């Protein structure tokens, strides 16, 4: 699942004894972090070209998982760049209290240009995350014409004979969007909302409506598969044996019709029973609440 | 939690200071929608996309199923726009003085920090995660009651159902306390006494006609994505041609967000859990009812004793009057017999509400699964 335009960068990772601290090979981002960055960008002041903030998440041996983010104050002028480190500290402590498992893994900025100031800020965050490398995420919001919205991740390495804070190479790292099942239904909800004309959607959505959408989705996929199979049968396209086998495995899964009839009837009765029980409990509760309101008089 | 909130919330902001002369006059087009005194009642709640993901994340990761946090935002012309939220730390001992203070401090400094980055910093309510729809609890009601006093528009609660979200339908609902309940709560008198001789209490469940369904009123909730988020989501869900070199068929594509089929899951694992919850809630209700009826019996016994005493005294007096003696004074019986106070029914009311919510979610699940089963039956060709 790629985020944004494809890059031609090759991701090389050294594996040798002298790589004591493993450089991350993969960065995954949760939707919450991305949406927080977008919100921060939306609330920037007129003077700010870009906004920056801290990324929080977890670190495994080869992977960095960015789970949330918060905004940090900073100012950039032609002569200097300043990051409000005290603010950054306070916010981190506040987040840490709620979610102790999340640590600082790096920083984000909007827009996709990397400059000297980026190197300086990167240097600051590297000190925060030491001994692990800091990740830098650039999120292009896509509002500048000609640039595509997308997310890129970098780690830095020092450059030059004498390493200086303002000099570094940003090495691209592959970045992916990652979410859990619970988050995905929220994402579906938002994706549905964003395509509606008013950019709003009423809540709650009835379960059956969600089911209907899912079934329609499956139906359209089956149609696509059917169209493909028929065109192969007609000889218009060359069949791909891998796809054929895959389809066979998937569609052949619902074999053994005979034994399913009993199972179906059984679980139908169970479901009806549960439904009856639920209604019974509800009416009992209602009656009980009303009985409490009656008096002997 | 309730106490902590009370400690840290700003004092009831009666009205933001009157517009200073240096401000521009409110344009005529906006004059109707700007209300300084919070006079326009809330009709809808609008939840920002970022808040949706934040709540889901917190609810999923919280150690207990009762993740809660505060909602920040503004109201405009009857629509409460919730634009940000932050989680509150989880504490096992809510009444602990120390943790109450810690939460209050946490909240105050978070609000201060958010203000610095131009985020909304006015608390408009709180959110609460729940499983299987049962969110009635004493602490929820207490918190809402505190908010009612402290916040503009009285505060709302947004309830997020974890179990429904796991089934592929992210669910958010907004509630606030009804005026009738608030009235009864202020007098904190949740008994069924109407008015009798000994304890004259008029305010009660009966007078307010309170059942569990009239504690909270639901407000319509909308989800909104701002244009920037919409366009970004559009990029994420846009189908891009597959990068695989030998991708066939030609229209093969991939997106960063693949479609979800959690809604099609036929499994009934949740039903067992739901049934267990109902049984537990019913048990708790039985215990509570037992306590209440014990108290009622106690009251009846004491009252019978008092009535007996009065009757006896009257009889005696009549006998004395017949004999031409001065009657004995009719003493204050309430001093002689201690009649216990009417039992508090709030707890049992809330438990009934919980039972109802569990049963409702069970009913919903089973009706959907019925539809799914017939769909599966048709597709399996039985």
């Amino acid at each position: 699942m790629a985020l944004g335009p494809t890059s031609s960068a090759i991701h090389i990772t050294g594996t040798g004894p002298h790589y004591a601290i493993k450089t991350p090979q993969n960065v995954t981002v949760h939707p919450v972090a991305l949406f927080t960055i977008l919100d921060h960008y939306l609330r920037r002041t007129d003077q700010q070209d870009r906004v920056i903030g801290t990324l929080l998440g977890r670190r495994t041996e080869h992977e960095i998982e960015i789970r949330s983010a918060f905004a940090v104050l900073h100012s950039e002028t032609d002569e200097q760049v300043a990051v409000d480190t005290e603010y950054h500290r306070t916010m981190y402590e506040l987040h840490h209290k709620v979610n102790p498992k999340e640590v600082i893994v790096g920083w984000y900025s909007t827009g996709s240009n990397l400059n000297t100031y980026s190197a300086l800020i990167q240097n600051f965050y590297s000190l925060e995350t030491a001994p692990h490398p800091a990740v830098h995420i650039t999120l292009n919001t896509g509002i500048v014409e000609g640039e595509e919205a997308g997310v890129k991740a970098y780690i830095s390495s020092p450059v030059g004979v004498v390493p200086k804070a303002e000099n570094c190479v940003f090495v691209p790292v592959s970045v992916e969007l990652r979410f859990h099942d619970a988050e995905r239904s929220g994402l579906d909800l938002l994706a549905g909302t964003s395509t509606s004309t008013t950019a709003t959607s009423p809540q709650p959505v009835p379960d059956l409506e969600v089911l209907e959408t899912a079934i329609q989705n499956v139906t359209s996929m089956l149609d696509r598969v059917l169209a493909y199979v028929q065109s192969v049968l007609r000889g218009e396209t060359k069949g791909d044996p891998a796809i054929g086998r895959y389809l066979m495995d998937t569609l052949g899964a619902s074999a053994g019709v005979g034994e399913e009839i009993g199972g179906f009837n059984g679980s139908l009765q169970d479901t009806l029973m549960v439904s009856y029980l639920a209604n019974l409990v509800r009416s009992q509760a209602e009656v009980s609440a009303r009985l409490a309101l009656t008096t002997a008089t | 939690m309730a106490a902590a909130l009370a400690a840290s919330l700003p004092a009831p902001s009666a009205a933001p200071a009157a517009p200073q002369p240096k401000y521009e006059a409110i344009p005529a087009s906006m004059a109707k929608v700007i209300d300084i005194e919070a006079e326009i009642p809330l009709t809808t709640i609008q939840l920002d996309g970022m808040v949706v993901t934040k709540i889901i994340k917190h609810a999923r990761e919280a150690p207990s199923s009762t993740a809660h946090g505060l909602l920040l935002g503004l109201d405009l012309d009857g629509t409460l726009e919730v634009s940000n939220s932050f989680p509150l730390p989880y504490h096992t001992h809510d009444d602990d003085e120390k943790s109450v203070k810690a939460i209050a401090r946490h909240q105050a400094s978070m609000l201060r920090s958010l203000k610095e980055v131009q985020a909304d910093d006015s608390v408009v309510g709180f959110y609460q995660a729940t499983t299987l729809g049962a969110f009635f609890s004493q602490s929820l009601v207490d918190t809402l009651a505190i908010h009612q006093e402290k916040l503009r528009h009285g505060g709302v609660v947004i309830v997020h159902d974890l179990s429904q979200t796991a089934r592929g339908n992210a669910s958010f609902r907004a509630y606030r306390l009804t005026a009738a309940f608030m009235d009864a709560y202020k007098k904190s008198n949740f008994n069924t006494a109407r008015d009798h001789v000994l304890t004259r209490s008029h305010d009660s469940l009966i007078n307010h006609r309170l059942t569990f369904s009239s504690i909270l009123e639901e407000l319509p909730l909308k989800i909104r994505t701002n244009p920037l988020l919409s366009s970004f989501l559009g990029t994420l869900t846009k189908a891009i041609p597959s990068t695989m070199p030998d991708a066939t068929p030609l229209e093969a594509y991939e997106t960063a967000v693949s479609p979800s089929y959690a809604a099609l899951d036929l499994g009934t694992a949740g039903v067992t859990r739901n049934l267990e919850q109902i049984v537990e809630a019913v048990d708790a209700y039985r215990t509570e009812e037992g306590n209440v009826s014990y108290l009622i019996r106690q009251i009846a016994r004491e009252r019978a004793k008092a009535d007996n005493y009065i009757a006896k005294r009257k009889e005696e007096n009549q006998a004395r009057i017949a004999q031409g003696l001065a009657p004995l004074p009719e003493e204050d019986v309430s001093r002689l017999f201690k009649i216990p106070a009417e039992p508090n029914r709030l707890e049992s009311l809330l438990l009934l509400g919980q039972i109802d919510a569990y049963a409702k979610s069970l009913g919903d699940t089973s009706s959907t699964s019925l539809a799914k089963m017939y769909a599966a039956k048709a597709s399996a060709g039985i």
Side-chain angles (χ1 to χ4, degrees), chain B residues 25 41 47 51 57 65 67 104 127 162 183 219 245 276 280 284 297 310 317:
Chain B
L47 201 60
V51 184
K57 172 180 184 279
S65 62
Y127 66 83
L162 271 172
D183 197 30
L219 287 162
E276 279 169 14
E280 268 169 37
R297 277 202 302 277
I310 295 170
N317 278 350

Side-chain angles (χ1 to χ4, degrees), chain A residues 67 87 184 201 205 221 288, chain B residues 61 113 169 223 258 261 285:
Chain A
R67 302 167 70 106
Y87 182 85
R184 88 129 333 117
S201 70
V205 188
M221 277 193 194
S288 178
Chain B
E61 286 172 358
S113 307
N169 181 7
I223 307 277
S258 56
Y261 300 102
Y285 179 69

Side-chain angles (χ1 to χ4, degrees), chain B residues 134-292:
Chain B
F135 56 87
F136 277 104
S137 71
Q138 188 83 44
S139 74
L140 179 118
V141 170
D142 285 345
T143 317
L144 265 179
I146 291 169
H147 278 183
Q148 192 87 21
E149 312 251 305
K150 297 251 176 189
L151 298 183
R152 202 176 134 87
H153 286 305
V156 291
V157 58
I158 287 184
V159 176
H160 166 61
D161 195 329
L162 271 172
S163 47
Q164 213 174 355
T165 306
R167 286 203 302 269
N169 181 7
S171 127
F172 293 88
R173 282 157 178 270
Y175 295 95
R176 67 169 168 209
L177 291 179
T178 56
F181 180 82
M182 206 48 217
D183 197 30
Y185 186 90
K186 262 185 210 148
K187 290 159 185 160
S188 48
N189 204 341
F190 292 102
N191 50 39
T192 53
R194 193 154 3 206
D195 55 349
H196 41 77
V197 204
L198 299 163
T199 55
R200 296 186 65 84
S201 62
H202 300 278
D203 347 286
S204 61
L205 290 180
I206 298 169
N207 285 8
H208 291 104
R209 298 183 177 282
L210 280 180
T211 63
F212 55 83
S213 46
S214 56
I215 293 180
L216 298 173
E217 60 180 328
E218 186 166 357
L219 287 162
L221 181 82
K222 282 188 302 187
I223 307 277
R224 178 176 184 272
T225 52
N226 56 48
L228 190 62
L229 184 55
S230 297
S231 80
F232 194 78
L233 275 170
T235 317
L236 283 188
T237 47
K238 193 176 68 184
I240 45 172
S242 176
T243 45
M244 300 279 278
D246 53 347
T248 51
L250 284 172
E251 63 265 38
Y253 62 83
E254 55 184 15
T255 64
V257 183
S258 56
S260 141
Y261 300 102
L264 292 174
D265 191 3
L266 270 178
T268 52
V271 174
T272 327
R273 177 95 191 99
N274 205 334
L275 282 169
E276 279 169 14
Q277 298 271 34
I278 289 187
V279 172
E280 268 169 37
V282 169
D283 274 349
Y285 179 69
R286 292 265 320 156
T287 319
E288 183 61 29
E289 272 303 82
N291 290 345
V292 168

Side-chain angles (χ1 to χ4, degrees), chain A residues 1-3 6 31-32 34-36 38-45 48 67-68 71-73 84 87 90-91 94-95 97-99 102 139-141 143 148-151 177 179-191 193-194 199-208 210-211 214-215 217-218 221 224 228 240 243 257 260-261 264 267-268 271-272 274-275 277-278 281-282 285-286 288-290 292-295 297, chain B residues 48-50 52-54 56-58 60-61 83-84 87-89 106 109-110 113-114 116-120 164-165 167-173 192 194 205-206 209-213 218 221-226 228-233 235-238 243 246 248-249 251-253 255-261 263-264 271 275 278 285 345 352 355-356 359-360 362-363 366 368-375 377 380-382:
Chain A
M1 290 186 286
L3 272 169
T6 47
V32 188
L34 293 181
F35 294 174
T36 314
L38 287 175
D39 188 71
H40 183 199
Y41 184 68
L42 211 59
R43 288 169 187 281
R44 72 194 188 282
T45 55
Q48 285 175 300
R67 302 167 70 106
S68 62
V72 170
L73 290 166
D84 191 338
Y87 182 85
T90 322
M91 273 308 251
L94 289 172
H95 276 88
K97 226 180 270 170
V98 179
N99 208 331
E102 288 179 3
L139 185 142
N140 197 328
T141 48
I143 59 161
E148 208 177 328
V151 180
L177 186 69
F179 40 78
H180 297 276
D181 284 348
E183 284 174 313
R184 88 129 333 117
S185 51
L187 211 58
D188 285 346
L189 179 70
L190 293 182
T193 308
S194 67
T200 53
S201 70
Q203 271 279 313
V205 188
D207 272 346
L208 280 178
V210 176
L211 186 66
I215 289 176
N217 230 329
V218 172
M221 277 193 194
R224 271 179 57 211
Y228 170 68
D240 186 334
I243 292 181
V257 173
E260 275 179 12
I261 297 174
F264 175 78
S267 83
L268 180 67
T271 312
L272 286 174
V274 166
S275 163
L277 184 72
V281 169
R282 285 196 75 187
E286 192 64 43
S288 178
R290 300 214 172 241
L293 297 185
T294 59
T295 44
T297 49
Chain B
D48 193 79
M50 180 181 67
V52 169
T53 48
K54 272 193 171 178
I56 293 179
K57 172 180 184 279
H58 183 211
R60 204 187 67 80
E61 286 172 358
S83 64
N84 207 342
L88 288 175
H106 177 93
S109 74
M110 187 63 122
S113 307
L114 284 175
E116 283 188 51
V117 286
Q118 290 93 36
D120 283 338
Q164 213 174 355
T165 306
R167 286 203 302 269
N169 181 7
S171 127
F172 293 88
R173 282 157 178 270
T192 53
R194 193 154 3 206
L205 290 180
I206 298 169
R209 298 183 177 282
L210 280 180
T211 63
F212 55 83
S213 46
E218 186 166 357
L221 181 82
K222 282 188 302 187
I223 307 277
R224 178 176 184 272
T225 52
N226 56 48
L228 190 62
L229 184 55
S230 297
S231 80
F232 194 78
L233 275 170
T235 317
L236 283 188
T237 47
K238 193 176 68 184
T243 45
D246 53 347
T248 51
E251 63 265 38
Y253 62 83
T255 64
V257 183
S258 56
S260 141
Y261 300 102
L264 292 174
V271 174
L275 282 169
I278 289 187
Y285 179 69
R345 299 291 186 97
L352 273 180
I355 294 174
D356 182 70
K360 185 168 185 296
L362 186 65
S366 58
T368 344
S369 73
L370 214 58
K372 276 190 275 190
M373 280 171 64
Y374 276 106
K377 188 190 174 200
I382 301 174

